[in-house]
Amino acid sequence: MPSAYLPSVCPHDCPSTCALEVERPSPERIGKLRGARGNDFTQGVICAKVARYAERVHHPERLTTPLRRVGPKGSGRFEPIDWTTALDTVAAAFVEATERHGPEAVWPYRYAGTMGLVQRDGLERLTHCLGYSRQHKTICSSAVGAALAAGLGAARGTDPREIPDSDLVVFWGMNAAATHVHALHLARQARRRRDARIVVVDPYRNRTAELADRHLALQPGSDGALACAVMHVLFRDGLADRDYLARYTDRPAELERHLESRGPEWAAPITGLDVAEIEAFAHEYGTTPRSLIRLGYGLSRSRNGVPNAHAVTCLPAVTGAWRQRGGGLLQSNGALYPLDTTLIEGLDRLDPGVRRLDMSRIGAVLTGDRRDLGDGPPVTAMLVQNTNPAAVAPESGRVRAGLLRDDLFLCVHEQFMTDTARYADIVLPATTFLEHDDLYKGGGHMYLQVARALIPPQGEARENHVVVRELAARLGAEHAGFDMNAWELVDATLRASGFPDADSVHAAGGHDCSLPFEQAHFLDGFAHADGRFRFRRTARASRPRRHHRRT
Ligand SMILES: Nc1nc2c(c(=O)[nH]1)N[C@H]1C(S)=C(S)[C@@H](COP(=O)(O)OP(=O)(O)OC[C@H]3O[C@@H](n4cnc5c(=O)[nH]c(N)nc54)[C@H](O)[C@@H]3O)O[C@H]1N2
Ligand SMILES: Nc1nc2c(c(=O)[nH]1)N[C@H]1C(S)=C(S)[C@@H](COP(=O)(O)OP(=O)(O)OC[C@H]3O[C@@H](n4cnc5c(=O)[nH]c(N)nc54)[C@H](O)[C@@H]3O)O[C@H]1N2
Ligand code: SF4
Ligand SMILES: [Mo]
């Protein structure tokens, strides 16, 4: 008898957030995974990595019991212990750090190993309830996020389901062939249907550039110069939509004057591109009404990522491509989901007076850099969930030096013995998304989705939410969020936010949060008080917002 396929949602930090169908050959085992055919964004497509996820879930190297370090730090020598002992040890270490240095000596550290809101963000609730050091989440998207806030006023844009109606798709700082296969899939539909052209703006000839019609291989960090030169040509050659500019933007005349001295000759030496290449691209962009920029995260990787990304977002405001179906820009649709996450994150207990440490500076923080610590205490205790900073955080030498500190207590909750887990004093085994319930926003699309556990936890693995609850109980943290299980939290969060309840969203295979065309394309105004796109970034808007969320 063929085994049934059950619904789930991919938890990876990927704009596709696929609706999945998961084969379950027996109640304990996962078989094949495929994209949900009924979902008009996923369209039955998933990446090779997740199609073979059974290999990860049932991998012989999965962590299956709590472990205690027995050798020197970083030696990788551990012995199995029971959960009660493990959690008691973590709680005792947090109490000791608090008694010695105050609660800011404890730094719960997390990122996006899972994008499920309950399992990803629940650690915030423990943090806020106990006054532990907060975390500034800078490692991925803060620069492009700030650029969207500055120009558009919100992190949202063209519905990606319009991509097949585009005549020109520009992948700008996004290697879609590897990182967002669905955007490429949709662009190829446009190519087949309408002869649409695909352009890639990327310093590197990546897989996406290989299959593009045009590849602008600019110098890293020079996107602002290219965007200025393109806009210069648009104004110069009558390709700017002056009616649109007057109606929808803040200071088009000032912008035009600013660009007078910033043409292709000016930009060529900065970007490393030929004048002719810039002219050709500017004309192609300016003469194709249905032009869509799919802006990726690549620009976020440089110090000047905010002005560069903001300059790119100015392009459709100059041509008025926002007026067109299949036109405009999409970086993230994170703002489509107006969720009240108070219960999950314990926002009602957030004290803005508690210090917030920059996650990308973990090496500096752990090696006692006063620029990060200020007058505050050192960090002497950590719980790491959903991230592997020893491998992914900048200045890895300093990160490792910090993690090796004898006076640092480190607990890592993981599915596998990662680089970071190897430095831990206590390692806790974590479930995968197929073993727990959660709620997911689609950053690159428009569906809010929920998923239920399909198999029991492997070995003694426990979900993040359970670990957070168990620690809360031991540390005396009280909050309604600790009294619910994950599904109850999902349900209560949906209800508090005015969405259908969790069972209904589950039964419907997701909830479409897309906006009508007029709103999605900002034809009713951009998301600033005056409704205008801002060419000028105000000092305030150019900084990441305090609670800016990545999606
Ligand atoms: N050199 C280099 N560094 C980079 C980048 C790069 O391209 N190159 N990219 C940067 C970017 S964009 C990002 S977003 C970061 C990403 O860096 P990380 O946040 O470290 O991302 P992941 O590797 O996706 O996830 C980290 C861990 O989470 C674990 N995990 C998954 N699900 C769960 C769960 O439910 N519970 C628990 N407890 N653990 C779970 C996984 O096993 C994995 O080891 O790296 C940044 N750093
Ligand atoms: N298979 C797979 N998919 C993933 C991930 C993964 O680890 N594996 N990670 C996920 C995560 S966390 C994220 S954030 C996304 C990121 O996915 P993308 O948005 O594609 O971002 P990156 O891969 O960081 O960089 C994209 C491209 O930007 C280019 N780039 C670098 N600097 C610049 C610049 O200054 N200007 C321009 N124009 N381009 C530049 C790089 O050469 C790269 O080809 O992918 C997600 N998808
Ligand atoms: S494409 Fe992205 S969201 Fe879809 S299955 Fe792969 S990692 Fe998950
Ligand atoms: Mo990322």
Side-chain angles (χ1 to χ4, degrees):
M1 196 179 87
S3 52
Y5 276 83
L6 298 163
S8 189
V9 179
C10 178
H12 280 289
D13 190 359
C14 166
S16 293
T17 320
C18 288
L20 300 176
E21 289 168 1
V22 182
E23 189 189 27
R24 192 172 61 181
S26 74
E28 278 83 37
R29 284 197 81 80
I30 294 303
K32 292 196 187 86
L33 283 83
R34 64 186 189 202
R37 286 144 208 217
N39 182 294
D40 59 0
F41 180 79
T42 306
Q43 296 189 8
V45 175
I46 55 168
C47 63
K49 169 178 77 190
V50 172
R52 293 170 48 183
Y53 218 72
E55 292 172 32
R56 181 177 177 91
V57 174
H58 301 297
H59 199 281
E61 287 166 27
R62 269 290 292 277
L63 294 169
T64 51
T65 63
L67 301 170
R68 172 167 54 202
R69 176 169 67 84
V70 289
K73 280 227 165 184
S75 64
R77 296 219 306 274
F78 295 95
E79 66 178 10
I81 51 171
D82 62 80
W83 266 101
T84 305
T85 311
L87 290 165
D88 287 349
T89 308
V90 179
F94 284 13
V95 168
E96 194 199 318
T98 303
E99 281 172 357
R100 186 170 297 179
H101 301 286
E104 288 183 341
V106 182
W107 191 20
Y109 189 95
R110 63 172 189 82
Y111 202 59
T114 172
M115 292 292 277
L117 301 190
V118 172
Q119 312 294 351
R120 185 187 72 183
D121 299 337
L123 191 52
E124 302 272 306
R125 192 180 337 113
L126 188 74
T127 303
H128 300 327
C129 286
L130 294 167
Y132 293 158
S133 282
R134 298 182 296 135
Q135 181 190 3
H136 190 14
K137 290 172 214 69
T138 54
I139 207 158
C140 172
S141 62
S142 38
V144 284
L148 298 182
L152 307 172
R156 59 180 174 83
T158 305
D159 189 323
R161 292 171 296 188
E162 290 177 34
I163 295 176
D165 297 319
S166 302
D167 290 317
L168 173 65
V169 181
V170 184
F171 288 108
W172 200 312
M174 167 179 273
N175 184 12
T179 62
H180 189 19
V181 291
H182 294 80
L184 185 62
H185 179 70
L186 292 163
R188 286 175 136 168
Q189 287 177 358
R191 189 186 248 175
R192 278 199 301 277
R193 280 191 207 167
R194 318 173 51 91
D195 239 359
R197 289 172 59 84
I198 298 177
V199 173
V200 166
V201 184
D202 197 305
Y204 180 62
R205 192 158 182 85
N206 58 28
R207 275 165 57 203
T208 318
E210 288 285 345
L211 51 85
D213 300 293
R214 183 191 296 282
H215 174 206
L216 293 162
L218 80 181
Q219 290 293 327
S222 69
D223 303 86
L226 173 60
C228 283
V230 169
M231 289 188 280
H232 170 103
V233 173
L234 298 174
F235 279 109
R236 185 196 69 195
D237 295 351
L239 299 171
D241 183 340
R242 291 177 187 279
D243 166 62
Y244 180 90
L245 282 161
R247 259 175 80 186
Y248 286 106
T249 70
D250 63 345
R251 3 177 137 227
E254 209 177 297
L255 175 72
E256 190 172 357
R257 270 199 308 283
H258 174 79
L259 293 169
E260 266 162 22
S261 58
R262 292 169 174 87
E265 286 78 12
W266 167 82
I270 301 173
T271 56
L273 300 171
D274 298 338
V275 169
E277 264 181 298
I278 301 175
E279 292 274 355
F281 171 57
H283 276 262
E284 183 173 30
Y285 183 73
T287 56
T288 311
R290 292 186 175 202
S291 58
L292 182 95
I293 296 176
R294 186 62 183 85
L295 179 61
Y297 290 95
L299 280 64
S300 246
R301 315 296 182 226
S302 327
R303 277 186 197 283
N304 56 355
V306 183
N308 280 330
H310 174 257
V312 176
T313 66
C314 294
L315 295 179
V318 173
T319 60
W322 284 113
R323 293 188 201 259
Q324 307 289 332
R325 191 170 165 80
L329 179 139
L330 177 61
Q331 200 285 322
S332 161
N333 257 337
L336 282 188
Y337 309 92
L339 286 167
D340 178 347
T341 54
T342 304
L343 264 176
I344 293 175
E345 297 176 49
L347 297 175
D348 47 345
R349 301 293 298 279
L350 188 156
D351 174 358
V354 173
R355 76 174 170 191
R356 189 167 58 150
L357 300 169
D358 181 343
M359 68 177 297
S360 301
R361 300 267 304 162
I362 178 174
V365 168
L366 293 184
T367 52
D369 197 320
R370 281 287 146 205
R371 282 174 295 180
D372 298 90
L373 297 176
D375 303 332
V379 169
T380 63
M382 293 183 82
L383 166 59
V384 175
Q385 278 185 331
N386 304 325
T387 182
N388 182 13
V392 307
E395 298 190 283
S396 43
R398 262 176 123 183
V399 178
R400 279 159 203 262
L403 293 174
L404 276 171
R405 261 176 44 205
D406 273 324
D407 63 336
L408 173 73
F409 172 84
L410 177 66
C411 172
V412 177
H413 187 195
E414 250 300 344
Q415 296 161 352
F416 287 91
M417 184 56 75
T418 58
D419 296 309
T420 310
R422 207 166 283 280
Y423 290 97
D425 298 287
I426 297 282
V427 178
L428 304 174
T431 45
T432 66
F433 75 104
L434 295 162
E435 300 151 56
H436 58 233
D437 302 338
D438 219 328
L439 166 65
Y440 301 88
K441 305 191 268 188
H445 57 75
M446 55 284 135
Y447 284 106
L448 189 62
Q449 300 175 86
V450 297
R452 303 224 63 163
L454 299 181
I455 52 169
Q458 300 294 289
E460 293 175 31
R462 290 190 185 174
E463 64 191 81
N464 293 359
H465 175 61
V466 168
V467 166
V468 166
R469 272 174 97 169
E470 291 280 346
L471 288 175
R474 284 168 171 77
L475 293 161
E478 289 179 6
H479 192 277
F482 297 126
D483 302 331
M484 302 177 179
N485 65 30
W487 188 250
E488 288 163 350
L489 263 176
V490 168
D491 188 57
T493 299
L494 288 170
R495 288 171 192 268
S497 313
F499 284 106
D501 63 88
D503 287 324
S504 305
V505 175
H506 190 250
H511 182 79
D512 188 344
C513 295
S514 59
L515 297 170
F517 178 86
E518 289 269 312
Q519 273 172 276
H521 286 247
F522 301 104
L523 299 179
D524 60 340
F526 285 88
H528 294 292
D530 62 1
R532 288 172 183 273
F533 180 88
R534 292 203 180 149
F535 291 124
R536 163 171 274 179
R537 289 180 301 119
T538 59
R540 205 178 143 62
S542 67
R543 265 188 261 120
R545 286 184 197 155
R546 189 171 194 96
H547 301 303
H548 175 75
R549 285 260 154 272
R550 75 166 321 287
T551 55

